[in-house]
Amino acid sequence: MQNFITNYTKKRYVLYGIISIIALSLPFIKINGNHFFLLSFIHSKLDLIFVSFSTQEFYLMPFVLILLFLFIFFITTLGGRIWCAWSCPQTIFRVIYRDLIQTKILRIRKNINNKQKEYPGQYFKKTIAVVLFYLVSLIAISNLLWYFVPPEEYFEYIQNPDEHLLLIGILFFASLLFTLDVTYLAEKFCVYVCPYARIQSVMFDRDTMQVIYNEKRGGVIFDGKFKLHKKPPQGECIGCEACVSVCPTHIDIRAGMQLECINCLECADACSKIQNKFNRPSLINWTSIKSIETNKKIKYFRFRTIGYLVVITIVLTALFVMGSKKERMLLNINRSSELYQISHVGDNIEVSNAYTFLFQNTDTKDHEYYFEAKLKDIDNGIKITRPIKPFKLEAGEQSKKIVIIKAIKKLANDNQQDIIFPLYIKAYAKDDDKIVIFRETIFVYPKISIFKEVK
Ligand code: SF4
Ligand code: SF4
């Protein structure tokens, strides 16, 4: 006799375990001192796939977000609300609270296969369940915070709570909110709060995988929303309602696809156990409308899914190309508000322009930096008078330098107006010839009448 029992629920639990291990361990893994993902506001940096970017390189963030949304669109078109029951933290923590803490550990709920029935009383045990979940929430919220405050600093901060009240406040308050959400809002969050539940149906097509009751085999139970039969006169559904009582969102999937369905497939598992006794597969399957209608296999590769894959590949390639072209030093140049300074040196008059150079060492090693300045089409017309020596920047360090560039010969002879020269800056690390960047600014030289006024 063939075994038709499906084990989607166990597979989900295995996936939850894998996701939890990855989520908990990723913040602790560092390559070249960088995390897989860390958005640190204190250090003004973003670590992405073990590469560090400064705030000036945050232009990569929109690409990451676009990629995330495209991936959600793709996965929803292909597998329906697969995210909801298979990866969403809300569902994972509902399973931990309802099925593990309330049912298995404290035995408040008597039957894991009946998620509809409420058990009144037992207030002491129910309070213990909420307290236990609050402890779980503290770990979960800490885990989330490690993607914004690296664990090595996080553990140092929480040992000095007086100096880090904001972090401690966020930890306890967010854990409280999360506990209220999971213990009180429960699946109502999925139905009434989560925006994804509202928009996902527009991404569906007739080939999208959904949890579908096979009316052809089971028989018609509902006419739209109205229940016609408990058990169809002809059909394989025996009306046991195992699929209804196990449903965490309290719906009857035999009425068709509903907004409340989170795709957990517990109804499919429940029905498979019933139908297996009759040597038949489950009446509820993870399949597509078209597949049920035509009795053909699900079409995974179709115009929409291939389209999403192509766009994801393009955005991913753009992200990698931009990430790999990451500059190992950054330089922003601002001119001072004063156009130029004129000073007397003996009988000569000298012209200087002042700038603020903002250097940042975005490399993982310390380096010594300096720069060269050159006017367009004029050799040896200027010299750098400040700073006169190279300077050291530690890995990740930012430093503002006041830069004075002086004309060392007469650059122009115009009576009417100041002359603007393009000024080219080549900044580099003295100890690594691969670290070099070029910038362009201007050097302003006064009209001759200004010299006469100064005399
Ligand atoms: S209908 Fe089935 S798949 Fe949908 S939420 Fe209920 S048990 Fe899960
Ligand atoms: S579990 Fe299967 S047989 Fe029982 S009511 Fe649901 S669909 Fe019908």
Side-chain angles (χ1 to χ4, degrees):
M1 197 168 117
Q2 198 179 340
N3 182 3
F4 290 103
I5 295 177
T6 56
N7 280 311
Y8 290 116
T9 309
K10 278 190 190 144
K11 286 175 190 159
R12 272 175 42 229
Y13 292 167
V14 171
L15 188 64
Y16 292 172
I18 295 170
I19 290 172
S20 304
I21 291 168
I22 292 173
L24 282 163
S25 53
L26 257 189
F28 293 89
I29 301 171
K30 287 209 274 183
I31 297 180
N32 292 332
N34 303 320
H35 298 79
F36 179 80
F37 180 86
L38 173 71
L39 181 57
S40 169
F41 296 105
I42 299 173
H43 301 294
S44 305
K45 71 165 194 162
L46 165 72
D47 285 1
L48 196 62
I49 321 175
F50 305 111
V51 179
S52 185
F53 298 91
S54 75
T55 40
Q56 295 175 52
E57 297 169 294
F58 272 19
Y59 58 85
L60 289 173
M61 266 318 266
F63 282 88
V64 177
L65 291 176
I66 290 170
L67 202 60
L68 191 70
F69 280 112
L70 281 171
F71 187 70
I72 290 174
F73 293 165
F74 167 68
I75 212 81
T76 308
T77 306
L78 191 70
R81 288 179 70 177
I82 186 172
W83 160 260
C84 295
W86 293 71
S87 308
C88 177
Q90 175 77 14
T91 313
I92 297 178
F93 286 99
R94 276 294 297 155
V95 168
I96 291 175
Y97 178 66
R98 183 195 53 226
D99 296 346
L100 181 67
I101 297 178
Q102 282 197 317
T103 311
K104 292 283 175 195
I105 299 177
L106 296 172
R107 306 251 170 229
I108 299 168
R109 309 183 70 86
K110 310 296 175 209
N111 184 356
I112 200 164
N113 294 321
N114 193 338
K115 298 184 182 21
Q116 308 274 0
K117 194 172 173 193
E118 291 304 327
Y119 297 86
Q122 309 182 77
Y123 297 114
F124 180 68
K125 277 191 176 181
K126 282 180 181 170
T127 310
I128 299 279
V130 174
V131 172
L132 279 181
F133 189 79
Y134 186 69
L135 299 178
V136 174
S137 294
L138 286 172
I139 299 171
I141 299 296
S142 297
N143 191 182
L144 179 67
L145 289 171
W146 295 337
Y147 291 95
F148 300 91
V149 181
E152 57 274 18
E153 292 173 18
Y154 180 87
F155 290 114
E156 205 182 299
Y157 294 167
I158 58 168
Q159 283 170 36
N160 297 302
D162 295 349
E163 290 170 27
H164 302 282
L165 283 175
L166 181 65
L167 182 76
I168 302 293
I170 291 173
L171 171 64
F172 285 106
F173 186 64
S175 300
L176 185 66
L177 284 185
F178 189 49
T179 303
L180 285 175
D181 164 37
V182 171
T183 60
Y184 178 70
L185 265 187
E187 275 76 23
K188 288 193 270 308
F189 180 91
C190 312
V191 180
Y192 301 111
V193 183
C194 178
Y196 175 60
R198 312 247 141 217
I199 58 156
Q200 38 86 26
S201 57
V202 297
M203 292 169 229
F204 285 15
D205 58 30
R206 292 173 65 75
D207 285 299
T208 298
M209 289 173 77
Q210 302 173 38
V211 182
I212 302 175
Y213 165 71
N214 191 337
E215 271 187 356
K216 275 193 198 167
R217 278 183 48 215
V220 177
I221 309 281
F222 281 84
D223 171 15
K225 283 276 171 189
F226 299 102
K227 205 168 192 171
L228 296 174
H229 317 279
K230 179 164 168 52
K231 165 177 168 339
Q234 288 153 345
E236 294 174 8
C237 176
I238 62 164
C240 66
E241 304 217 334
C243 55
V244 183
S245 57
V246 80
C247 177
T249 59
H250 303 193
I251 57 168
D252 188 337
I253 196 65
R254 296 173 302 169
M257 184 60 199
Q258 291 148 75
L259 177 76
E260 292 87 343
C261 177
I262 55 166
N263 224 330
C264 68
L265 288 150
E266 296 211 19
C267 52
D269 283 350
C271 188
S272 75
K273 285 183 195 131
I274 304 295
Q275 292 295 323
N276 188 53
K277 294 177 187 155
F278 303 97
N279 200 23
R280 303 190 291 242
S282 176
L283 294 171
I284 302 164
N285 293 289
W286 195 20
T287 182
S288 73
I289 296 172
K290 213 169 176 182
S291 171
I292 292 241
E293 284 172 356
T294 58
N295 274 334
K296 286 188 181 157
K297 284 189 175 169
I298 300 165
K299 200 172 166 193
Y300 297 108
F301 293 100
R302 48 194 194 271
F303 180 74
R304 283 174 79 167
T305 52
I306 293 172
Y308 280 130
L309 275 180
V310 170
V311 181
I312 287 171
T313 312
I314 292 170
V315 178
L316 202 60
T317 311
L319 188 65
F320 269 104
V321 169
M322 291 172 83
S324 61
K325 282 191 178 159
K326 176 186 147 48
E327 288 177 328
R328 288 160 72 197
M329 72 175 288
L330 296 173
L331 172 59
N332 271 353
I333 298 178
N334 289 311
R335 278 182 54 81
S336 76
S337 52
E338 209 179 5
L339 278 180
Y340 38 72
Q341 293 155 334
I342 300 175
S343 51
H344 290 270
V345 179
D347 287 344
N348 294 330
I349 293 175
E350 290 184 342
V351 176
S352 304
N353 280 206
Y355 309 80
T356 304
F357 281 20
L358 177 62
F359 285 91
Q360 185 172 6
N361 176 2
T362 50
D363 200 19
T364 49
K365 293 181 202 146
D366 303 351
H367 291 291
E368 203 177 36
Y369 294 97
Y370 201 54
F371 58 96
E372 293 166 7
K374 187 180 178 314
L375 293 176
K376 188 182 180 193
D377 301 330
I378 302 176
D379 287 337
N380 304 322
I382 50 168
K383 75 171 184 180
I384 301 161
T385 56
R386 180 179 169 185
I388 51 170
K389 282 194 295 189
F391 49 89
K392 193 175 167 185
L393 291 181
E394 288 176 13
E397 190 186 347
Q398 250 186 14
S399 178
K400 260 186 198 169
K401 300 281 172 201
I402 301 300
V403 172
I404 310 286
I405 294 181
K406 187 188 280 182
I408 51 176
K409 63 183 182 188
K410 197 173 190 180
L411 297 177
N413 205 7
D414 196 306
N415 244 330
Q416 305 301 318
Q417 58 186 12
D418 294 344
I419 305 293
I420 296 171
F421 293 95
L423 176 71
Y424 300 120
I425 305 293
K426 177 187 172 188
Y428 52 87
K430 283 187 72 81
D431 47 3
D432 187 337
D433 54 13
K434 289 199 187 83
I435 302 178
V436 55
I437 54 174
F438 299 90
R439 295 286 182 268
E440 194 178 330
T441 179
I442 56 168
F443 185 90
V444 184
Y445 195 80
K447 57 190 172 190
I448 294 298
S449 56
I450 300 277
F451 287 112
K452 288 175 186 160
E453 284 169 23
V454 173
K455 278 181 180 174

